[in-house]
Amino acid sequence: MPNVDRTSRETVAAEMRRFLARETSAFEFDDALFAIESDDPTVKNIIQRLWFHYDDLKDHTVALTKPEWNYFHRLLLILESDRHIKVRIT
């Protein structure tokens, strides 16, 4: 089982909360996420998943649909746990 990088998980979660609270823009969010270096595969996976939900070419504050908002909060739950996301390649 891979190691849990608690520090990186807390950093990603904090950046997500700042973005959701409109305290940061998409550019700031992108910069913060991609500055995080971790060997935790779940941290890497969540950062990649988040990239599809904001624009990195035009700066803006959070603009999520209700399903996306809920998805962000489910990802926060994973980050707060010691669980991992299993990725199946088919």
Side-chain angles (χ1 to χ4, degrees), residues 9-25:
R9 286 184 181 215
E10 289 171 3
T11 302
V12 173
E15 292 302 331
M16 288 176 66
R17 285 189 187 92
R18 290 181 63 216
F19 185 62
L20 291 171
R22 295 179 184 252
E23 295 173 2
T24 60
S25 69

Side-chain angles (χ1 to χ4, degrees), residues 36-53:
I36 297 167
E37 295 182 18
S38 177
D39 291 329
D40 185 332
T42 296
V43 169
K44 292 177 182 180
N45 184 277
I46 288 176
I47 289 172
Q48 290 173 341
R49 289 170 185 259
L50 292 172
W51 185 77
F52 293 102
H53 298 278

Side-chain angles (χ1 to χ4, degrees), residues 2-7 9 40 79 81-84:
N3 288 333
V4 172
D5 181 349
R6 178 63 31 219
T7 302
R9 286 184 181 215
D40 185 332
L79 289 168
S81 75
D82 289 336
R83 307 299 293 184
H84 289 281

Side-chain angles (χ1 to χ4, degrees), residues 25-82:
S25 69
F27 287 175
E28 293 166 325
F29 186 51
D30 186 66
D31 289 346
L33 291 179
F34 285 93
I36 297 167
E37 295 182 18
S38 177
D39 291 329
D40 185 332
T42 296
V43 169
K44 292 177 182 180
N45 184 277
I46 288 176
I47 289 172
Q48 290 173 341
R49 289 170 185 259
L50 292 172
W51 185 77
F52 293 102
H53 298 278
Y54 63 90
D55 192 337
D56 61 349
L57 298 176
K58 182 179 177 185
D59 205 15
H60 61 87
T61 57
V62 67
L64 301 174
T65 64
K66 178 66 173 156
E68 288 174 314
W69 184 269
N70 293 341
Y71 182 64
F72 268 54
H73 283 85
R74 286 192 298 276
L75 293 176
L76 282 169
L77 290 173
I78 294 168
L79 289 168
E80 292 168 352
S81 75
D82 289 336

